[in-house]
Amino acid sequence: MGQRARAAGGCLTAALGAGLGLAVWSYDVRNRFQRFEAGPDWSVLYAELPLAVFGGILASLGVWALVRRGG
């Protein structure tokens, strides 16, 4: 596999990881955002969302690196 194909695979893996992190974060977000008898919890957007997306990216790139190292 060429260098460009490996780079494209890494970028695609990172994009899929970001999408997976976003999908995991969006599960039941409405209940986490609106607390009982309280105003909206904005930390769901500025803290949890970036952590979920970056976590998905890091996890997918870690798996991709392990697969590349083994192959």
Side-chain angles (χ1 to χ4, degrees):
M1 186 182 323
Q3 185 176 0
R4 287 184 181 179
R6 285 192 303 242
C11 290
L12 181 61
T13 302
L16 290 174
L20 183 62
L22 181 62
V24 168
W25 172 83
S26 67
Y27 178 75
D28 202 30
V29 72
R30 185 171 296 202
N31 289 336
R32 287 181 300 175
F33 184 71
Q34 191 64 35
R35 304 290 182 188
F36 180 71
E37 289 188 7
D41 184 11
W42 293 105
S43 69
V44 171
L45 294 177
Y46 68 79
E48 290 182 18
L49 176 60
L51 288 176
V53 172
F54 289 137
I57 291 170
L58 288 176
S60 66
L61 288 178
V63 169
W64 180 75
L66 287 175
V67 168
R68 290 288 307 150
R69 190 176 215 31

